[in-house]
Amino acid sequence: MNSGNGCDNSNNYNKIKARRVIVASVLLVFICAIFPNKVVFAGDINSSEAGLIAAASGTFTYDGKTYRAGTAYVNSLTAYLSEDGVDLTAEQCQEAASRMYASVKDGIDQGYLYEVGKEGKKSSDSQTAYDEDEDEDEDESVSSGDNGTAKDKGNNSSDGELDGVSSDDVSEEKRAGDVDVWDSMSGQTEAKNKLKQRPEQSDADASVKLGDDGIVVTTKDNNTFNLSKKEQLIPDKVINIINVIAVITSIFTLLCVCILQVSKCMVFKKPKSRKARRGHTRRRRIRRYTRNVLTVTSAVSFIMIYLFMGIYISIFNKDAIMQNMQASGYFRYAYSEYISELANEFKENNTVSETIVSYEDYLFTVKQNSLKILNGETDIRIPDSNVTPYITNIKNSYNQMFSSVGVLFILNALISVVFMVFMDQRRERGIKHTAVATLVASVLIVVVTAYMAFAKPYLHLYIEPDYLYLFIMECILWSVKVMTSISAFAVVFAMLLIGVYISMKNKSNE
């Protein structure tokens, strides 16, 4: 009996617990139904703040000209709104947007806005995102334009730090909603200082711009060509020149090898007798000429080998690529772009098609996908602004070229050195000419590297958006460091061969 009562009590308890769960669920659904929707965008960014970011990412019209905020400054705003102590309401964001639209001239004067063209929307379209009924200043018409999509000058904040106003620098009054968008964009970083070195587009030797379909390069003569993610990026002219150099070098090397073999000039094993054979004078003349030719072909081969090494280490090092992407602020740029797109989608449909992720989760996903693309995987979801598909495309062209002409240069160098050393009994002569070839190659590499390091011709390029400019600058600086190391190695190797030659010569003269 007692056992039966215990079972009944247990069943009654479970029923009561189940009823409580059902009632709580119904109340939760009811509460969600009667309260207005408020979508939280990633971390501390809500839907209203995302709309403010989208508006700041759009275009502005002032005095008949169209302007856009550099993403360095948009990212400062994004970083500020992501802070733990900042949580603006819809009214506060609307007020901040209104102040931003009413002070476009301040944004231009302070350098936050740059001119992108003459096409701008009418001032009546300026504040559709926030304040359609707001009276506009007659002298300062503005346009949110482009649906607020962040496709402007790029990101120049380092991913390792928030590019914007820190929590220590923001007053409680501003945290309460008295937000000046331009002031929130004012945080300075090293990346922003680097952008000051970029020339004006009218003064640049060439302009490089990232478009929806690829990278568009325009020279000073208005010659334009596109760089695609899928089509061959290395110009055919460059490939043909390298192929011609490889073929000519191979022909001269093989011709010398045939002449040396036919004239019996090769001495792979020193004879016991030192008596001169018939035709010694003729063979000595042949050896002199062929050795000079092989010195040239080996020097050309060493130059190309050093260049192939430098290009591979400079461009295709995955760790260096990821570090340069982070230093350029690309990930913050991509995140601002992502938030802007979702804000526009929510504004149009009052809903979003995907779950909003935090910056940390977004950063992890984009980095992992970027690494997958660099590893050769395809069909990976990645923002259009990501540069890794271009790098992978270049790498594929590089591998195809290296598998043919690169191997030819390596074989030419090896064959030239072997035949220079073994064409007569004085091995030190071949070592000396090999040292000369490597020294010539190292000098040329040193000259090219010094020119890049001191003349800095890459500073005459106008590159947009900002993060792409910063990324390319970081890659070039990394390439200069790599080529400096290769130049040092080439010089040391040449000096080592000269030392071996001197030692062998002294020993043979004893």
Side-chain angles (χ1 to χ4, degrees), residues 398-408:
Y398 172 91
N399 289 336
Q400 293 177 1
M401 186 167 58
F402 182 80
S403 62
S404 55
V405 296
V407 173
L408 275 181

Side-chain angles (χ1 to χ4, degrees), residues 241-257:
I241 291 174
I242 295 176
N243 287 336
V244 169
I245 294 174
V247 170
I248 292 176
T249 304
S250 301
I251 290 174
F252 276 99
T253 300
L254 293 177
L255 183 61
C256 290
V257 168

Side-chain angles (χ1 to χ4, degrees), residues 83-97:
E83 293 177 6
D84 293 336
V86 178
D87 188 18
L88 305 184
T89 64
E91 292 75 14
Q92 292 168 341
C93 289
Q94 179 176 321
E95 174 63 24

Side-chain angles (χ1 to χ4, degrees), residues 61-203:
T61 300
Y62 176 76
D63 198 20
K65 298 179 180 179
T66 303
Y67 295 87
R68 189 185 292 277
T71 47
Y73 304 106
V74 175
N75 295 336
S76 296
L77 176 64
T78 305
Y80 167 69
L81 295 176
S82 300
E83 293 177 6
D84 293 336
V86 178
D87 188 18
L88 305 184
T89 64
E91 292 75 14
Q92 292 168 341
C93 289
Q94 179 176 321
E95 174 63 24
S98 298
R99 294 176 60 183
M100 175 180 66
Y101 289 132
S103 58
V104 175
K105 186 176 185 300
D106 292 339
I108 297 172
D109 294 340
Q110 296 175 39
Y112 305 140
L113 300 177
Y114 68 97
E115 184 180 356
V116 293
K118 301 293 184 181
E119 304 83 15
K121 290 188 178 182
K122 298 297 183 182
S123 60
S124 59
D125 298 330
S126 63
Q127 300 184 28
T128 55
Y130 289 96
D131 196 9
E132 294 180 356
D133 299 328
E134 178 88 1
D135 291 333
E136 299 171 350
D137 192 303
E138 293 181 358
D139 295 330
E140 296 177 348
S141 62
V142 295
S143 172
S144 60
D146 295 342
N147 293 325
T149 303
K151 292 183 179 180
D152 40 274
K153 286 183 65 176
N155 184 341
N156 49 348
S157 68
S158 173
D159 243 16
E161 61 177 2
L162 291 178
D163 181 13
V165 182
S166 66
S167 58
D168 295 335
D169 296 334
V170 181
S171 65
E172 293 298 327
E173 183 182 12
K174 284 188 179 295
R175 290 190 183 280
D178 186 18
V179 178
D180 187 327
V181 175
W182 306 131
D183 184 60
S184 299
M185 291 182 176
S186 63
Q188 290 298 316
T189 64
E190 181 182 355
K192 290 180 183 178
N193 293 329
K194 289 181 180 178
L195 283 171
K196 296 178 181 178
Q197 300 178 352
R198 179 171 54 182
E200 296 293 334
Q201 184 173 359
S202 58
D203 300 330

Side-chain angles (χ1 to χ4, degrees), residues 410-452:
I410 293 175
L411 291 176
N412 285 333
L414 291 175
I415 293 173
S416 298
V417 171
V418 169
F419 275 79
M420 283 192 296
V421 172
F422 291 98
M423 68 171 57
D424 62 13
Q425 300 181 37
R426 301 293 298 269
R427 309 299 192 202
E428 66 273 12
R429 293 174 180 170
I431 298 296
K432 181 183 74 172
H433 282 261
T434 302
V436 170
T438 56
L439 187 61
V440 170
S442 63
V443 168
L444 182 60
I445 297 297
V446 168
V447 170
V448 173
T449 304
Y451 174 74
M452 292 295 294

Side-chain angles (χ1 to χ4, degrees), residues 63 122 141 147 215-216 246 305 313 359 378 476:
D63 198 20
K122 298 297 183 182
S141 62
N147 293 325
I215 296 176
V216 180
I305 290 171
I313 299 173
Y359 172 69
T378 57
I476 292 175

Side-chain angles (χ1 to χ4, degrees), residues 228-424:
S228 172
K229 296 179 182 179
K230 298 181 179 180
E231 299 176 359
Q232 177 181 291
L233 288 181
I234 301 178
D236 291 333
K237 185 177 181 179
V238 175
I239 295 177
N240 292 335
I241 291 174
I242 295 176
N243 287 336
V244 169
I245 294 174
V247 170
I248 292 176
T249 304
S250 301
I251 290 174
F252 276 99
T253 300
L254 293 177
L255 183 61
C256 290
V257 168
C258 293
I259 292 174
L260 290 171
Q261 288 285 63
V262 171
S263 59
K264 299 181 179 181
C265 292
M266 300 303 299
V267 183
F268 292 100
K269 185 177 180 181
K270 293 184 179 181
K272 297 180 180 180
S273 175
R274 297 183 61 87
K275 183 178 179 181
R277 294 178 295 163
R278 177 183 297 181
H280 173 70
T281 302
R282 180 178 61 87
R283 286 194 296 272
R284 184 169 60 184
R285 188 182 304 111
I286 292 174
R287 285 173 177 139
R288 183 171 67 251
Y289 292 139
T290 54
R291 185 181 278 120
N292 291 336
V293 173
L294 290 176
T295 301
V296 174
T297 59
S298 59
V300 173
S301 299
F302 280 126
I303 291 171
M304 298 307 299
I305 290 171
Y306 291 149
L307 289 177
F308 272 111
M309 289 174 54
I311 292 172
Y312 187 85
I313 299 173
S314 300
I315 302 179
F316 308 129
N317 184 294
K318 289 183 288 187
D319 291 337
I321 292 171
M322 298 304 295
Q323 290 176 5
N324 291 338
M325 289 178 68
Q326 182 163 323
S328 69
Y330 165 72
F331 298 112
R332 180 67 70 182
Y333 167 84
Y335 185 67
S336 297
E337 189 177 45
Y338 164 75
I339 289 294
S340 296
E341 291 174 353
L342 291 178
N344 290 321
E345 182 181 350
F346 181 75
K347 181 183 65 177
E348 294 174 359
N349 306 322
N350 201 34
T351 185
V352 291
S353 59
E354 59 182 276
T355 302
I356 313 304
V357 300
S358 66
Y359 172 69
E360 288 74 17
D361 293 337
Y362 184 85
L363 175 64
F364 176 80
T365 301
V366 172
K367 282 188 174 181
Q368 292 300 312
N369 289 344
S370 298
L371 286 172
K372 290 178 181 179
I373 292 177
L374 292 176
N375 288 328
E377 296 186 32
T378 57
D379 299 328
I380 301 298
R381 183 180 179 184
I382 204 77
D384 291 336
S385 56
N386 197 295
V387 297
T388 51
Y390 297 96
I391 296 174
T392 301
N393 193 6
I394 295 175
K395 186 176 181 179
N396 292 335
S397 299
Y398 172 91
N399 289 336
Q400 293 177 1
M401 186 167 58
F402 182 80
S403 62
S404 55
V405 296
V407 173
L408 275 181
F409 284 123
I410 293 175
L411 291 176
N412 285 333
L414 291 175
I415 293 173
S416 298
V417 171
V418 169
F419 275 79
M420 283 192 296
V421 172
F422 291 98
M423 68 171 57
D424 62 13

